[in-house]
Amino acid sequence: MTNLKSISEKLTAWRRYRDAVRELSQLTDRELSDIGIRRGEIETIVRQSVMTPAD
């Protein structure tokens, strides 16, 4: 059962990552700048936020 839970959690994290990258990538450079992100940083920032458990 642990393996299924682990797979499910990884799939959920991947979907959140993919969706967040897609949403941020649709923003203009100006909009990204307003929130302090450069286009080249999107994947790294999202990866860090998805991999870090929420408190």
Side-chain angles (χ1 to χ4, degrees):
M1 195 63 159
T2 303
N3 287 337
L4 252 109
K5 185 176 181 182
S6 176
I7 291 170
S8 175
E9 289 172 350
K10 288 180 183 181
L11 184 57
T12 299
W14 170 250
R15 286 180 180 154
R16 284 193 341 237
Y17 168 80
R18 185 188 62 201
D19 291 344
V21 168
R22 183 182 308 122
E23 285 184 38
L24 287 172
S25 294
Q26 291 175 352
L27 297 177
T28 65
D29 288 341
R30 173 66 189 248
E31 291 168 326
L32 288 171
S33 177
D34 287 346
I35 59 174
I37 298 174
R38 286 183 253 167
R39 191 161 300 280
E41 299 172 324
I42 291 174
E43 290 184 13
T44 302
I45 290 171
V46 172
R47 187 175 305 112
Q48 290 172 349
S49 70
V50 169
M51 299 303 175
T52 304
D55 291 330

